Amino acid sequence: MTDPHAYCQEKAAASGSSFYYSFMFLPPERRQAIIALYAFCREVDDVVDECQDPQIAHTTLDWWRHQVGLIYEGTPQHPVGQALKDVIQRFNLPRELLLEVIDGMQMDLQQTRYLDWKALNLYCYRVASVVGLLSAEIFGYTNRQTLKYAHDLGLAFQLTNIIRDVGEDARRGRIYLPINELQQFGVPAKQILDGQYSDGFRELMAFQAKRARQLYEQAFAQLPAEDRKAQRPGLIMAAIYRTLLDEIEADGFQVLDRRTSLTPLRKIWLAGKTWFGA
């Protein structure tokens, strides 16, 4: 039988995500917990990205909703659920927040466009801010103000992801950039779907990058000094993601035909610098 935590470890390591670097310095119990949470997010995200039949994807997400119920009853079947069963006994992870993550994935199956920032904000909340709130519980905090920091940091991360992945998402038929902002900068959706650059597109992306940076600053302003040390994994992620955002901007927002990324070595350097400097 597969060891549940070993399964989660493999799932997290295989993803190559920047999140993995932020877990490196955590004590074993917290690291094991955050990796289980991350593996859960990867599992439900993969349903949307890898399942070609929308009906099967809906059914699979419903199966995961049932698994969440079983996690809290103590009888999950999936290795990730079994790992999370251990985690929820040690950390306060509300069932409704795990279900909210699945709701966010469901949005990807139901819509490919967002009218305005308010509509996109709800999506970002479900797939990222909620993960930030769950992560804050695992990292630990003494001041509830830290939850506001975790919420806003999640929004900043997701918007950075959206900026980085515009071309990749377009090839899947999705445009997350708000429709009213496409119109504001004179960028037809077809232009993005066809992978065509323009001055309007670069201005639109600069506008999104500015919003993301404001969200980072808003988040940092809400992190109480007494919880800064505990919340260092989030600060590591922020250092990596803000550096990524700087690279994308310096490259002229060439996101329609390529995916900007940082090398593992650079991520490790940023992680260490942030951990020991925070």
Side-chain angles (χ1 to χ4, degrees), residues 146-180:
T146 294
L147 296 178
K148 292 184 178 178
Y149 146 83
H151 172 281
D152 289 348
L153 195 61
L155 292 182
F157 288 159
Q158 190 59 28
L159 187 52
T160 305
N161 274 338
I162 287 169
I163 291 166
R164 179 194 62 195
D165 296 340
V166 172
E168 203 172 294
D169 290 329
R171 287 186 283 281
R172 289 186 172 127
R174 293 186 200 138
I175 299 176
Y176 291 100
L177 304 170
I179 292 169
N180 68 334

PDB file of all heavy atoms in Angstrom, residues 146-180:
ATOM      1  N   THR A 146      -3.093  38.334  10.224  1.00  0.00           N
ATOM      2  CA  THR A 146      -2.278  37.541   9.297  1.00  0.00           C
ATOM      3  C   THR A 146      -3.146  36.896   8.215  1.00  0.00           C
ATOM      4  O   THR A 146      -2.681  36.669   7.093  1.00  0.00           O
ATOM      5  CB  THR A 146      -1.481  36.477  10.090  1.00  0.00           C
ATOM      6  OG1 THR A 146      -0.548  37.168  10.916  1.00  0.00           O
ATOM      7  CG2 THR A 146      -0.730  35.512   9.193  1.00  0.00           C
ATOM      8  N   LEU A 147      -4.407  36.617   8.537  1.00  0.00           N
ATOM      9  CA  LEU A 147      -5.293  36.018   7.539  1.00  0.00           C
ATOM     10  C   LEU A 147      -5.597  36.990   6.405  1.00  0.00           C
ATOM     11  O   LEU A 147      -5.781  36.581   5.248  1.00  0.00           O
ATOM     12  CB  LEU A 147      -6.587  35.528   8.201  1.00  0.00           C
ATOM     13  CG  LEU A 147      -6.399  34.396   9.223  1.00  0.00           C
ATOM     14  CD1 LEU A 147      -7.722  34.017   9.865  1.00  0.00           C
ATOM     15  CD2 LEU A 147      -5.746  33.171   8.572  1.00  0.00           C
ATOM     16  N   LYS A 148      -5.639  38.288   6.709  1.00  0.00           N
ATOM     17  CA  LYS A 148      -5.836  39.294   5.643  1.00  0.00           C
ATOM     18  C   LYS A 148      -4.620  39.318   4.718  1.00  0.00           C
ATOM     19  O   LYS A 148      -4.735  39.436   3.499  1.00  0.00           O
ATOM     20  CB  LYS A 148      -6.084  40.672   6.254  1.00  0.00           C
ATOM     21  CG  LYS A 148      -7.413  40.783   6.989  1.00  0.00           C
ATOM     22  CD  LYS A 148      -7.656  42.198   7.490  1.00  0.00           C
ATOM     23  CE  LYS A 148      -9.019  42.287   8.173  1.00  0.00           C
ATOM     24  NZ  LYS A 148      -9.265  43.643   8.707  1.00  0.00           N
ATOM     25  N   TYR A 149      -3.431  39.219   5.334  1.00  0.00           N
ATOM     26  CA  TYR A 149      -2.185  39.127   4.554  1.00  0.00           C
ATOM     27  C   TYR A 149      -2.236  37.906   3.636  1.00  0.00           C
ATOM     28  O   TYR A 149      -1.936  37.991   2.431  1.00  0.00           O
ATOM     29  CB  TYR A 149      -0.997  39.055   5.524  1.00  0.00           C
ATOM     30  CG  TYR A 149       0.168  38.212   5.055  1.00  0.00           C
ATOM     31  CD1 TYR A 149       1.128  38.721   4.189  1.00  0.00           C
ATOM     32  CD2 TYR A 149       0.301  36.882   5.488  1.00  0.00           C
ATOM     33  CE1 TYR A 149       2.192  37.930   3.760  1.00  0.00           C
ATOM     34  CE2 TYR A 149       1.357  36.096   5.079  1.00  0.00           C
ATOM     35  CZ  TYR A 149       2.298  36.611   4.211  1.00  0.00           C
ATOM     36  OH  TYR A 149       3.346  35.831   3.794  1.00  0.00           O
ATOM     37  N   ALA A 150      -2.626  36.742   4.184  1.00  0.00           N
ATOM     38  CA  ALA A 150      -2.653  35.501   3.414  1.00  0.00           C
ATOM     39  C   ALA A 150      -3.655  35.584   2.259  1.00  0.00           C
ATOM     40  O   ALA A 150      -3.387  35.103   1.149  1.00  0.00           O
ATOM     41  CB  ALA A 150      -3.005  34.328   4.332  1.00  0.00           C
ATOM     42  N   HIS A 151      -4.778  36.212   2.507  1.00  0.00           N
ATOM     43  CA  HIS A 151      -5.810  36.400   1.488  1.00  0.00           C
ATOM     44  C   HIS A 151      -5.274  37.221   0.326  1.00  0.00           C
ATOM     45  O   HIS A 151      -5.367  36.829  -0.848  1.00  0.00           O
ATOM     46  CB  HIS A 151      -7.024  37.088   2.125  1.00  0.00           C
ATOM     47  CG  HIS A 151      -8.079  37.502   1.149  1.00  0.00           C
ATOM     48  ND1 HIS A 151      -7.970  38.643   0.369  1.00  0.00           N
ATOM     49  CD2 HIS A 151      -9.277  36.946   0.824  1.00  0.00           C
ATOM     50  CE1 HIS A 151      -9.035  38.756  -0.403  1.00  0.00           C
ATOM     51  NE2 HIS A 151      -9.846  37.738  -0.145  1.00  0.00           N
ATOM     52  N   ASP A 152      -4.681  38.378   0.635  1.00  0.00           N
ATOM     53  CA  ASP A 152      -4.212  39.280  -0.422  1.00  0.00           C
ATOM     54  C   ASP A 152      -2.999  38.713  -1.152  1.00  0.00           C
ATOM     55  O   ASP A 152      -2.835  38.923  -2.361  1.00  0.00           O
ATOM     56  CB  ASP A 152      -3.875  40.657   0.160  1.00  0.00           C
ATOM     57  CG  ASP A 152      -5.136  41.415   0.588  1.00  0.00           C
ATOM     58  OD1 ASP A 152      -6.242  40.969   0.229  1.00  0.00           O
ATOM     59  OD2 ASP A 152      -5.009  42.438   1.280  1.00  0.00           O
ATOM     60  N   LEU A 153      -2.154  37.997  -0.430  1.00  0.00           N
ATOM     61  CA  LEU A 153      -0.980  37.395  -1.062  1.00  0.00           C
ATOM     62  C   LEU A 153      -1.424  36.339  -2.082  1.00  0.00           C
ATOM     63  O   LEU A 153      -0.840  36.231  -3.158  1.00  0.00           O
ATOM     64  CB  LEU A 153      -0.065  36.776  -0.003  1.00  0.00           C
ATOM     65  CG  LEU A 153       1.355  36.424  -0.464  1.00  0.00           C
ATOM     66  CD1 LEU A 153       2.108  37.662  -0.945  1.00  0.00           C
ATOM     67  CD2 LEU A 153       2.133  35.745   0.658  1.00  0.00           C
ATOM     68  N   GLY A 154      -2.472  35.594  -1.742  1.00  0.00           N
ATOM     69  CA  GLY A 154      -3.015  34.609  -2.680  1.00  0.00           C
ATOM     70  C   GLY A 154      -3.495  35.265  -3.967  1.00  0.00           C
ATOM     71  O   GLY A 154      -3.233  34.770  -5.069  1.00  0.00           O
ATOM     72  N   LEU A 155      -4.179  36.410  -3.842  1.00  0.00           N
ATOM     73  CA  LEU A 155      -4.627  37.144  -5.037  1.00  0.00           C
ATOM     74  C   LEU A 155      -3.438  37.552  -5.890  1.00  0.00           C
ATOM     75  O   LEU A 155      -3.459  37.439  -7.126  1.00  0.00           O
ATOM     76  CB  LEU A 155      -5.424  38.391  -4.635  1.00  0.00           C
ATOM     77  CG  LEU A 155      -6.790  38.213  -3.971  1.00  0.00           C
ATOM     78  CD1 LEU A 155      -7.412  39.581  -3.694  1.00  0.00           C
ATOM     79  CD2 LEU A 155      -7.734  37.383  -4.836  1.00  0.00           C
ATOM     80  N   ALA A 156      -2.387  38.064  -5.228  1.00  0.00           N
ATOM     81  CA  ALA A 156      -1.186  38.520  -5.946  1.00  0.00           C
ATOM     82  C   ALA A 156      -0.532  37.362  -6.692  1.00  0.00           C
ATOM     83  O   ALA A 156      -0.119  37.501  -7.858  1.00  0.00           O
ATOM     84  CB  ALA A 156      -0.202  39.158  -4.968  1.00  0.00           C
ATOM     85  N   PHE A 157      -0.434  36.201  -6.028  1.00  0.00           N
ATOM     86  CA  PHE A 157       0.162  35.028  -6.667  1.00  0.00           C
ATOM     87  C   PHE A 157      -0.641  34.612  -7.902  1.00  0.00           C
ATOM     88  O   PHE A 157      -0.077  34.330  -8.956  1.00  0.00           O
ATOM     89  CB  PHE A 157       0.211  33.831  -5.700  1.00  0.00           C
ATOM     90  CG  PHE A 157       1.225  33.955  -4.605  1.00  0.00           C
ATOM     91  CD1 PHE A 157       1.092  33.202  -3.440  1.00  0.00           C
ATOM     92  CD2 PHE A 157       2.315  34.805  -4.710  1.00  0.00           C
ATOM     93  CE1 PHE A 157       2.030  33.291  -2.418  1.00  0.00           C
ATOM     94  CE2 PHE A 157       3.254  34.907  -3.695  1.00  0.00           C
ATOM     95  CZ  PHE A 157       3.115  34.148  -2.542  1.00  0.00           C
ATOM     96  N   GLN A 158      -1.964  34.564  -7.757  1.00  0.00           N
ATOM     97  CA  GLN A 158      -2.789  34.091  -8.866  1.00  0.00           C
ATOM     98  C   GLN A 158      -2.734  35.055 -10.045  1.00  0.00           C
ATOM     99  O   GLN A 158      -2.687  34.628 -11.200  1.00  0.00           O
ATOM    100  CB  GLN A 158      -4.238  33.870  -8.409  1.00  0.00           C
ATOM    101  CG  GLN A 158      -5.100  33.162  -9.438  1.00  0.00           C
ATOM    102  CD  GLN A 158      -4.570  31.780  -9.817  1.00  0.00           C
ATOM    103  OE1 GLN A 158      -3.913  31.124  -9.018  1.00  0.00           O
ATOM    104  NE2 GLN A 158      -4.832  31.348 -11.039  1.00  0.00           N
ATOM    105  N   LEU A 159      -2.723  36.351  -9.762  1.00  0.00           N
ATOM    106  CA  LEU A 159      -2.636  37.319 -10.853  1.00  0.00           C
ATOM    107  C   LEU A 159      -1.283  37.201 -11.558  1.00  0.00           C
ATOM    108  O   LEU A 159      -1.201  37.319 -12.784  1.00  0.00           O
ATOM    109  CB  LEU A 159      -2.864  38.742 -10.326  1.00  0.00           C
ATOM    110  CG  LEU A 159      -2.970  39.839 -11.388  1.00  0.00           C
ATOM    111  CD1 LEU A 159      -4.001  39.502 -12.464  1.00  0.00           C
ATOM    112  CD2 LEU A 159      -3.311  41.185 -10.738  1.00  0.00           C
ATOM    113  N   THR A 160      -0.218  36.943 -10.793  1.00  0.00           N
ATOM    114  CA  THR A 160       1.100  36.721 -11.403  1.00  0.00           C
ATOM    115  C   THR A 160       1.066  35.490 -12.302  1.00  0.00           C
ATOM    116  O   THR A 160       1.603  35.499 -13.421  1.00  0.00           O
ATOM    117  CB  THR A 160       2.182  36.548 -10.314  1.00  0.00           C
ATOM    118  OG1 THR A 160       2.152  37.689  -9.445  1.00  0.00           O
ATOM    119  CG2 THR A 160       3.568  36.428 -10.923  1.00  0.00           C
ATOM    120  N   ASN A 161       0.413  34.422 -11.833  1.00  0.00           N
ATOM    121  CA  ASN A 161       0.239  33.212 -12.658  1.00  0.00           C
ATOM    122  C   ASN A 161      -0.499  33.529 -13.949  1.00  0.00           C
ATOM    123  O   ASN A 161      -0.134  33.052 -15.026  1.00  0.00           O
ATOM    124  CB  ASN A 161      -0.569  32.151 -11.889  1.00  0.00           C
ATOM    125  CG  ASN A 161       0.292  31.283 -11.000  1.00  0.00           C
ATOM    126  OD1 ASN A 161       1.487  31.164 -11.214  1.00  0.00           O
ATOM    127  ND2 ASN A 161      -0.314  30.681  -9.999  1.00  0.00           N
ATOM    128  N   ILE A 162      -1.569  34.305 -13.838  1.00  0.00           N
ATOM    129  CA  ILE A 162      -2.382  34.659 -15.003  1.00  0.00           C
ATOM    130  C   ILE A 162      -1.542  35.433 -16.018  1.00  0.00           C
ATOM    131  O   ILE A 162      -1.608  35.174 -17.230  1.00  0.00           O
ATOM    132  CB  ILE A 162      -3.632  35.456 -14.564  1.00  0.00           C
ATOM    133  CG1 ILE A 162      -4.638  34.505 -13.877  1.00  0.00           C
ATOM    134  CG2 ILE A 162      -4.283  36.174 -15.746  1.00  0.00           C
ATOM    135  CD1 ILE A 162      -5.784  35.206 -13.167  1.00  0.00           C
ATOM    136  N   ILE A 163      -0.739  36.390 -15.524  1.00  0.00           N
ATOM    137  CA  ILE A 163       0.130  37.172 -16.406  1.00  0.00           C
ATOM    138  C   ILE A 163       1.128  36.254 -17.118  1.00  0.00           C
ATOM    139  O   ILE A 163       1.325  36.339 -18.334  1.00  0.00           O
ATOM    140  CB  ILE A 163       0.872  38.263 -15.589  1.00  0.00           C
ATOM    141  CG1 ILE A 163      -0.126  39.325 -15.110  1.00  0.00           C
ATOM    142  CG2 ILE A 163       2.000  38.898 -16.408  1.00  0.00           C
ATOM    143  CD1 ILE A 163       0.424  40.263 -14.031  1.00  0.00           C
ATOM    144  N   ARG A 164       1.759  35.366 -16.355  1.00  0.00           N
ATOM    145  CA  ARG A 164       2.764  34.451 -16.932  1.00  0.00           C
ATOM    146  C   ARG A 164       2.159  33.518 -17.973  1.00  0.00           C
ATOM    147  O   ARG A 164       2.790  33.195 -18.984  1.00  0.00           O
ATOM    148  CB  ARG A 164       3.376  33.619 -15.797  1.00  0.00           C
ATOM    149  CG  ARG A 164       4.428  32.611 -16.250  1.00  0.00           C
ATOM    150  CD  ARG A 164       4.735  31.613 -15.151  1.00  0.00           C
ATOM    151  NE  ARG A 164       3.553  30.824 -14.804  1.00  0.00           N
ATOM    152  CZ  ARG A 164       3.426  30.077 -13.713  1.00  0.00           C
ATOM    153  NH1 ARG A 164       4.418  30.032 -12.835  1.00  0.00           N
ATOM    154  NH2 ARG A 164       2.317  29.392 -13.474  1.00  0.00           N
ATOM    155  N   ASP A 165       0.917  33.067 -17.743  1.00  0.00           N
ATOM    156  CA  ASP A 165       0.340  31.975 -18.533  1.00  0.00           C
ATOM    157  C   ASP A 165      -0.669  32.429 -19.590  1.00  0.00           C
ATOM    158  O   ASP A 165      -1.450  31.604 -20.072  1.00  0.00           O
ATOM    159  CB  ASP A 165      -0.357  30.973 -17.598  1.00  0.00           C
ATOM    160  CG  ASP A 165       0.621  30.292 -16.645  1.00  0.00           C
ATOM    161  OD1 ASP A 165       1.825  30.291 -16.937  1.00  0.00           O
ATOM    162  OD2 ASP A 165       0.165  29.778 -15.604  1.00  0.00           O
ATOM    163  N   VAL A 166      -0.663  33.710 -19.973  1.00  0.00           N
ATOM    164  CA  VAL A 166      -1.672  34.203 -20.926  1.00  0.00           C
ATOM    165  C   VAL A 166      -1.694  33.342 -22.188  1.00  0.00           C
ATOM    166  O   VAL A 166      -2.760  32.902 -22.637  1.00  0.00           O
ATOM    167  CB  VAL A 166      -1.428  35.687 -21.290  1.00  0.00           C
ATOM    168  CG1 VAL A 166      -2.358  36.124 -22.420  1.00  0.00           C
ATOM    169  CG2 VAL A 166      -1.666  36.584 -20.085  1.00  0.00           C
ATOM    170  N   GLY A 167      -0.524  33.088 -22.774  1.00  0.00           N
ATOM    171  CA  GLY A 167      -0.470  32.312 -24.014  1.00  0.00           C
ATOM    172  C   GLY A 167      -0.891  30.871 -23.824  1.00  0.00           C
ATOM    173  O   GLY A 167      -1.667  30.316 -24.617  1.00  0.00           O
ATOM    174  N   GLU A 168      -0.390  30.265 -22.752  1.00  0.00           N
ATOM    175  CA  GLU A 168      -0.717  28.863 -22.442  1.00  0.00           C
ATOM    176  C   GLU A 168      -2.218  28.696 -22.232  1.00  0.00           C
ATOM    177  O   GLU A 168      -2.838  27.745 -22.732  1.00  0.00           O
ATOM    178  CB  GLU A 168       0.042  28.467 -21.174  1.00  0.00           C
ATOM    179  CG  GLU A 168       0.265  26.988 -21.000  1.00  0.00           C
ATOM    180  CD  GLU A 168       1.192  26.709 -19.819  1.00  0.00           C
ATOM    181  OE1 GLU A 168       2.384  27.079 -19.880  1.00  0.00           O
ATOM    182  OE2 GLU A 168       0.698  26.151 -18.824  1.00  0.00           O
ATOM    183  N   ASP A 169      -2.813  29.623 -21.476  1.00  0.00           N
ATOM    184  CA  ASP A 169      -4.258  29.558 -21.226  1.00  0.00           C
ATOM    185  C   ASP A 169      -5.048  29.779 -22.518  1.00  0.00           C
ATOM    186  O   ASP A 169      -6.062  29.118 -22.751  1.00  0.00           O
ATOM    187  CB  ASP A 169      -4.663  30.592 -20.175  1.00  0.00           C
ATOM    188  CG  ASP A 169      -4.148  30.243 -18.780  1.00  0.00           C
ATOM    189  OD1 ASP A 169      -4.020  29.037 -18.484  1.00  0.00           O
ATOM    190  OD2 ASP A 169      -3.870  31.169 -18.001  1.00  0.00           O
ATOM    191  N   ALA A 170      -4.567  30.703 -23.359  1.00  0.00           N
ATOM    192  CA  ALA A 170      -5.259  30.984 -24.633  1.00  0.00           C
ATOM    193  C   ALA A 170      -5.288  29.734 -25.510  1.00  0.00           C
ATOM    194  O   ALA A 170      -6.293  29.471 -26.192  1.00  0.00           O
ATOM    195  CB  ALA A 170      -4.576  32.134 -25.355  1.00  0.00           C
ATOM    196  N   ARG A 171      -4.217  28.956 -25.473  1.00  0.00           N
ATOM    197  CA  ARG A 171      -4.188  27.724 -26.279  1.00  0.00           C
ATOM    198  C   ARG A 171      -5.171  26.681 -25.749  1.00  0.00           C
ATOM    199  O   ARG A 171      -5.514  25.733 -26.453  1.00  0.00           O
ATOM    200  CB  ARG A 171      -2.751  27.169 -26.334  1.00  0.00           C
ATOM    201  CG  ARG A 171      -1.844  28.000 -27.236  1.00  0.00           C
ATOM    202  CD  ARG A 171      -0.462  27.386 -27.428  1.00  0.00           C
ATOM    203  NE  ARG A 171       0.415  27.569 -26.283  1.00  0.00           N
ATOM    204  CZ  ARG A 171       1.073  28.702 -26.012  1.00  0.00           C
ATOM    205  NH1 ARG A 171       0.937  29.765 -26.796  1.00  0.00           N
ATOM    206  NH2 ARG A 171       1.878  28.778 -24.961  1.00  0.00           N
ATOM    207  N   ARG A 172      -5.624  26.881 -24.518  1.00  0.00           N
ATOM    208  CA  ARG A 172      -6.694  26.019 -23.967  1.00  0.00           C
ATOM    209  C   ARG A 172      -8.059  26.683 -24.138  1.00  0.00           C
ATOM    210  O   ARG A 172      -9.054  26.210 -23.585  1.00  0.00           O
ATOM    211  CB  ARG A 172      -6.436  25.770 -22.475  1.00  0.00           C
ATOM    212  CG  ARG A 172      -5.242  24.857 -22.202  1.00  0.00           C
ATOM    213  CD  ARG A 172      -5.176  24.550 -20.706  1.00  0.00           C
ATOM    214  NE  ARG A 172      -4.161  23.544 -20.428  1.00  0.00           N
ATOM    215  CZ  ARG A 172      -3.187  23.683 -19.539  1.00  0.00           C
ATOM    216  NH1 ARG A 172      -3.088  24.788 -18.822  1.00  0.00           N
ATOM    217  NH2 ARG A 172      -2.311  22.726 -19.337  1.00  0.00           N
ATOM    218  N   GLY A 173      -8.086  27.819 -24.822  1.00  0.00           N
ATOM    219  CA  GLY A 173      -9.344  28.524 -25.072  1.00  0.00           C
ATOM    220  C   GLY A 173      -9.793  29.415 -23.932  1.00  0.00           C
ATOM    221  O   GLY A 173     -10.929  29.880 -23.902  1.00  0.00           O
ATOM    222  N   ARG A 174      -8.890  29.681 -22.965  1.00  0.00           N
ATOM    223  CA  ARG A 174      -9.248  30.496 -21.804  1.00  0.00           C
ATOM    224  C   ARG A 174      -8.532  31.842 -21.820  1.00  0.00           C
ATOM    225  O   ARG A 174      -7.343  31.901 -22.118  1.00  0.00           O
ATOM    226  CB  ARG A 174      -8.856  29.781 -20.500  1.00  0.00           C
ATOM    227  CG  ARG A 174      -9.628  28.525 -20.216  1.00  0.00           C
ATOM    228  CD  ARG A 174      -9.277  27.985 -18.834  1.00  0.00           C
ATOM    229  NE  ARG A 174      -9.627  26.583 -18.731  1.00  0.00           N
ATOM    230  CZ  ARG A 174      -8.880  25.656 -18.164  1.00  0.00           C
ATOM    231  NH1 ARG A 174      -7.719  25.982 -17.638  1.00  0.00           N
ATOM    232  NH2 ARG A 174      -9.280  24.404 -18.113  1.00  0.00           N
ATOM    233  N   ILE A 175      -9.275  32.885 -21.461  1.00  0.00           N
ATOM    234  CA  ILE A 175      -8.673  34.210 -21.247  1.00  0.00           C
ATOM    235  C   ILE A 175      -9.156  34.697 -19.886  1.00  0.00           C
ATOM    236  O   ILE A 175     -10.353  34.932 -19.694  1.00  0.00           O
ATOM    237  CB  ILE A 175      -9.064  35.221 -22.348  1.00  0.00           C
ATOM    238  CG1 ILE A 175      -8.587  34.727 -23.719  1.00  0.00           C
ATOM    239  CG2 ILE A 175      -8.458  36.592 -22.034  1.00  0.00           C
ATOM    240  CD1 ILE A 175      -9.020  35.632 -24.879  1.00  0.00           C
ATOM    241  N   TYR A 176      -8.231  34.815 -18.948  1.00  0.00           N
ATOM    242  CA  TYR A 176      -8.602  35.268 -17.603  1.00  0.00           C
ATOM    243  C   TYR A 176      -8.618  36.789 -17.489  1.00  0.00           C
ATOM    244  O   TYR A 176      -9.269  37.336 -16.614  1.00  0.00           O
ATOM    245  CB  TYR A 176      -7.635  34.688 -16.560  1.00  0.00           C
ATOM    246  CG  TYR A 176      -7.777  33.200 -16.368  1.00  0.00           C
ATOM    247  CD1 TYR A 176      -6.899  32.309 -16.979  1.00  0.00           C
ATOM    248  CD2 TYR A 176      -8.804  32.667 -15.594  1.00  0.00           C
ATOM    249  CE1 TYR A 176      -7.025  30.936 -16.813  1.00  0.00           C
ATOM    250  CE2 TYR A 176      -8.940  31.305 -15.420  1.00  0.00           C
ATOM    251  CZ  TYR A 176      -8.048  30.449 -16.027  1.00  0.00           C
ATOM    252  OH  TYR A 176      -8.192  29.097 -15.864  1.00  0.00           O
ATOM    253  N   LEU A 177      -7.886  37.482 -18.342  1.00  0.00           N
ATOM    254  CA  LEU A 177      -7.847  38.947 -18.272  1.00  0.00           C
ATOM    255  C   LEU A 177      -9.265  39.485 -18.446  1.00  0.00           C
ATOM    256  O   LEU A 177      -9.972  39.073 -19.381  1.00  0.00           O
ATOM    257  CB  LEU A 177      -6.928  39.499 -19.371  1.00  0.00           C
ATOM    258  CG  LEU A 177      -5.491  38.959 -19.358  1.00  0.00           C
ATOM    259  CD1 LEU A 177      -4.751  39.373 -20.625  1.00  0.00           C
ATOM    260  CD2 LEU A 177      -4.743  39.447 -18.120  1.00  0.00           C
ATOM    261  N   PRO A 178      -9.716  40.404 -17.581  1.00  0.00           N
ATOM    262  CA  PRO A 178     -11.111  40.863 -17.632  1.00  0.00           C
ATOM    263  C   PRO A 178     -11.496  41.480 -18.980  1.00  0.00           C
ATOM    264  O   PRO A 178     -10.720  42.241 -19.574  1.00  0.00           O
ATOM    265  CB  PRO A 178     -11.164  41.919 -16.518  1.00  0.00           C
ATOM    266  CG  PRO A 178     -10.069  41.520 -15.565  1.00  0.00           C
ATOM    267  CD  PRO A 178      -8.983  40.974 -16.428  1.00  0.00           C
ATOM    268  N   ILE A 179     -12.693  41.127 -19.435  1.00  0.00           N
ATOM    269  CA  ILE A 179     -13.187  41.595 -20.734  1.00  0.00           C
ATOM    270  C   ILE A 179     -13.206  43.124 -20.804  1.00  0.00           C
ATOM    271  O   ILE A 179     -12.791  43.716 -21.810  1.00  0.00           O
ATOM    272  CB  ILE A 179     -14.609  41.033 -21.003  1.00  0.00           C
ATOM    273  CG1 ILE A 179     -14.535  39.521 -21.219  1.00  0.00           C
ATOM    274  CG2 ILE A 179     -15.253  41.711 -22.207  1.00  0.00           C
ATOM    275  CD1 ILE A 179     -15.884  38.818 -21.240  1.00  0.00           C
ATOM    276  N   ASN A 180     -13.682  43.791 -19.714  1.00  0.00           N
ATOM    277  CA  ASN A 180     -13.771  45.256 -19.778  1.00  0.00           C
ATOM    278  C   ASN A 180     -12.389  45.912 -19.863  1.00  0.00           C
ATOM    279  O   ASN A 180     -12.243  47.004 -20.414  1.00  0.00           O
ATOM    280  CB  ASN A 180     -14.578  45.810 -18.593  1.00  0.00           C
ATOM    281  CG  ASN A 180     -13.890  45.636 -17.251  1.00  0.00           C
ATOM    282  OD1 ASN A 180     -13.067  44.725 -17.079  1.00  0.00           O
ATOM    283  ND2 ASN A 180     -14.219  46.486 -16.301  1.00  0.00           N
TER     284      ASN A 180
END
